[in-house]
Amino acid sequence: MMHQPVGKLLLFGATGDLAQRMLLPSLYALHADGLLPSGLTITGTARSEKDDETYREFARHALEEFLPADRKDDSAVGSFLDRLNYQALDASQVEGFVALKDKLGDISGGLAIFLSTAPWLFGPTIEGLKSAGLTGDNVRISLEKPLGKDLASSREINDLVAGVFPEERTFRIDHYLGKETVQNILALRFGNSLFEPVWNAQGIDHVQITVSENVGLEGRAGFYDETGALRDMVQNHMLQLVALIAMEPPARFDGTAIRDEKVKVLRSLRKISAQEAPQLTVTGQYGGGAVKGEIVRDYASDLGKSSGTETFVAIKAHVDNWRWHGVPFYLRTGKRLAERRSEIVIQFKPVPHSIFAERGGALQPNTLAIRLQPEEYVRLLVMAKQPGLDREGVRLREVPLNLSLENEFAGTRRRIAYERLLLDLIEGDPTLFVRRDEVEAQWEWIDGIRAGWDANDMKPKPYASGSWGPSASIALTERDGVTWNE
């Protein structure tokens, strides 16, 4: 593995939304904390005509707008901007890449390329980099989704990249893997002897994963309408969470071992057949309603035309292997739902025999909730006896054992996911990036679901904005005697 820091970073899409909100603030934070290699230069490229000076001004405005107040420091901002250069480029024209190479200068110290670009530009960009000699052994590339819209188009993009960059120099980003709480799943499972013995079909009744948003389209209308909730959220982020929750213990903490175990889970996902799609999946599209007390419009009005794209999806999934035999994984995600929340809920099995029942004590099975946003915590609900003399019978109550990352690590700086991922890219550590075989296993499962929707002509059911999605989503779990955690 090439675990050495590079001397240069090249950002495609350097004037885009992602660059302003995430990439520039993240790189600045790493710079301010002295974590970037000392001579590292950052070259931005995009179509807009700017020079070094105007790009630095542009970056200064982005930092002004998106950095938290306690991070702003004039001298650090100044020395960070000194690292920035800019080269205008129309990536669809191969000729422009020679000027880009000249701008970068000597790349013998290694180059990392961050590519967040429209999917149709992948081919020309890779071609251009190759023709200009920007793809040598000391160059690594990171790719931002969407990497295709199904298995076939994803293979096409991966083949294009693989023709020039071998897998060990290709870093596919899933920004959920940069989140501290997501990495904590590994610490929780494999750093404690408490959980692993019951982390299986004998101990766990079911798993729920919810990623809900209260926003609607927010300026991504065209992209989102072609994509839909299943491809936008489930195919990448949610299946990565399933893989981390369900994987076998890796032999060591490194990119190969961890990703070997993740891909086994993704390949073990039970295919959802066309016959089962109507029973095991629910799709929805938001209607009008109220979110946080504000009246909002339906999806078609937000989009400006009627559409069959789903803004909500719920799925009952299974991982077919020894560990998870018969344990359902309920997944749901959607826009304009009741609240913004990402969480994993592990519901354990009840105790085999309750000694409290005849004394009136009702038991709830233990629940482990791992909350990724907006707060970050791990909470285990356990049964305890309410204080008292028990003349009226035994009263039991669920009480939380709480690990709040905000409180527990209050003195430690909370970093956004891209800080971790950009630093790992610069240093060449692939552990938190997604390997090609994972992406293809994810797409294969997702394509099966979409084929089922087509075969049954399933149309998204309307749901009120500000609700928890279509009523069919409640029925999906209720018929198994399970209630969504709300």
Side-chain angles (χ1 to χ4, degrees):
M1 286 290 175
M2 301 190 332
H3 275 278
Q4 70 256 34
V6 294
K8 304 210 157 145
L9 178 63
L10 172 58
L11 296 182
F12 278 83
T15 56
D17 190 54
L18 182 72
Q20 296 178 65
R21 282 171 186 278
M22 294 290 171
L23 306 181
L24 289 166
S26 297
L27 288 165
Y28 163 78
L30 294 169
H31 165 85
D33 292 339
L35 294 167
L36 293 180
S38 61
L40 179 88
T41 61
I42 300 166
T43 303
T45 180
R47 291 186 67 155
S48 19
E49 287 299 333
K50 294 187 187 320
D51 57 16
D52 294 354
E53 225 21 73
T54 51
Y55 185 65
R56 287 173 185 165
E57 214 29 61
F58 169 87
R60 184 192 298 280
H61 284 301
L63 296 178
E64 192 51 51
E65 185 172 353
F66 294 111
L67 276 181
D70 66 330
R71 279 312 243 161
K72 292 178 181 164
D73 168 339
D74 289 347
S75 77
V77 169
S79 55
F80 172 69
L81 296 176
D82 289 343
R83 291 184 187 257
L84 298 182
N85 307 305
Y86 183 86
Q87 177 68 37
L89 170 75
D90 176 352
S92 66
Q93 305 297 315
V94 81
E95 307 79 52
F97 282 84
V98 177
L100 181 63
K101 177 169 196 205
D102 294 344
K103 182 76 187 185
L104 282 166
D106 175 18
I107 57 165
S108 59
L111 170 67
I113 300 171
F114 185 99
L115 195 56
S116 72
T117 160
W120 61 273
L121 275 173
F122 265 114
T125 304
I126 296 287
E127 203 39 59
L129 289 167
K130 185 179 172 185
S131 69
L134 290 172
T135 56
D137 289 342
N138 62 349
V139 181
R140 55 183 85 115
I141 191 165
S142 82
L143 310 169
E144 190 42 88
K145 71 165 199 175
L147 294 178
K149 57 180 196 304
D150 52 22
L151 181 59
S153 55
S154 156
R155 281 207 168 122
E156 211 172 294
I157 290 174
N158 279 320
D159 285 344
L160 273 173
V161 175
V164 180
F165 293 95
E167 182 64 39
E168 66 271 12
R169 293 197 275 117
T170 304
F171 290 64
R172 289 175 201 78
I173 288 190
D174 184 321
H175 71 259
Y176 264 52
L177 297 179
K179 290 177 184 285
E180 201 60 65
T181 337
V182 172
Q183 296 157 46
N184 239 310
I185 294 170
L186 297 180
L188 195 71
R189 284 190 58 191
F190 306 128
N192 299 291
S193 60
L194 201 60
F195 295 114
E196 203 51 31
V198 292
W199 205 267
N200 52 43
Q202 283 69 55
I204 290 178
D205 180 77
H206 69 270
V207 176
Q208 298 181 20
I209 302 180
T210 295
V211 177
S212 59
E213 301 178 273
N214 46 25
V215 296
L217 285 174
E218 307 293 290
R220 295 167 71 219
F223 165 75
Y224 190 85
D225 194 58
E226 283 170 24
T227 309
L230 184 70
R231 294 191 279 209
D232 189 43
M233 273 297 188
V234 184
Q235 183 272 333
N236 38 66
H237 308 323
M238 295 185 80
L239 289 186
Q240 283 290 320
L241 295 178
V242 169
L244 291 170
I245 289 292
M247 70 197 249
E248 295 300 313
R252 58 186 67 84
F253 196 104
D254 71 31
T256 302
I258 286 177
R259 299 189 297 178
D260 285 350
E261 296 305 341
K262 282 198 299 174
V263 78
K264 288 180 199 168
V265 173
L266 297 166
R267 287 184 183 144
S268 307
L269 283 166
R270 183 187 302 169
K271 301 279 176 278
I272 292 181
S273 68
Q275 290 74 39
E276 296 167 315
Q279 285 75 55
L280 297 180
T281 69
V282 174
T283 65
Q285 188 184 85
Y286 65 78
V291 175
K292 296 197 198 156
E294 290 192 18
I295 301 295
V296 291
R297 306 184 303 173
D298 64 354
Y299 180 75
S301 309
D302 283 350
L303 186 65
K305 58 175 193 210
S306 66
S307 156
T309 300
E310 80 285 356
T311 64
F312 174 95
V313 60
I315 303 172
K316 180 182 176 181
H318 286 91
V319 176
D320 279 340
N321 59 19
W322 272 41
R323 183 184 286 262
W324 297 108
H325 176 74
V327 178
F329 283 72
Y330 300 101
L331 315 177
R332 66 171 173 174
T333 180
K335 291 192 171 294
R336 288 268 168 88
L337 294 177
E339 60 179 83
R340 171 172 172 258
R341 174 202 298 184
S342 299
E343 75 177 357
I344 300 159
V345 175
I346 315 278
Q347 169 86 58
F348 292 96
K349 291 218 158 124
V351 294
H353 166 70
S354 170
I355 64 169
F356 305 104
E358 50 197 48
R359 301 284 303 277
L363 289 176
Q364 300 295 327
N366 300 130
T367 306
L368 178 70
I370 302 168
R371 175 72 65 100
L372 315 177
Q373 58 191 34
E375 322 88 330
E376 294 185 287
Y377 62 69
V378 178
R379 178 178 288 167
L380 180 63
L381 294 174
V382 297
M383 295 308 299
K385 184 180 99 65
Q386 288 197 13
L389 299 172
D390 305 334
R391 300 300 95 181
E392 305 293 308
V394 180
R395 292 282 170 265
L396 300 174
R397 202 178 101 205
E398 259 186 332
V399 293
L401 294 177
N402 250 339
L403 163 61
S404 156
L405 296 183
E406 267 113 345
N407 300 345
E408 228 29 76
F409 301 104
T412 324
R413 189 175 303 290
R414 316 292 301 158
R415 296 188 178 279
I416 58 176
Y418 278 99
E419 292 181 45
R420 175 65 190 261
L421 297 174
L422 284 163
L423 191 58
D424 283 354
L425 168 69
I426 289 164
E427 293 182 349
D429 181 349
T431 311
L432 299 178
F433 295 84
V434 184
R435 210 164 59 188
R436 175 171 184 164
D437 50 1
E438 294 180 73
V439 177
E440 297 194 346
Q442 289 170 182
W443 273 123
E444 210 165 312
W445 191 69
I446 292 293
D447 284 358
I449 293 176
R450 294 190 61 84
W453 292 353
D454 291 344
N456 294 286
D457 199 24
M458 277 172 69
K459 296 277 179 274
K461 300 173 164 52
Y463 61 92
S465 284
S467 71
W468 278 109
S471 52
S473 156
I474 298 165
L476 178 74
T477 59
E478 296 286 349
R479 58 173 168 258
D480 298 337
V482 170
T483 304
W484 287 109
N485 185 52
E486 280 159 19

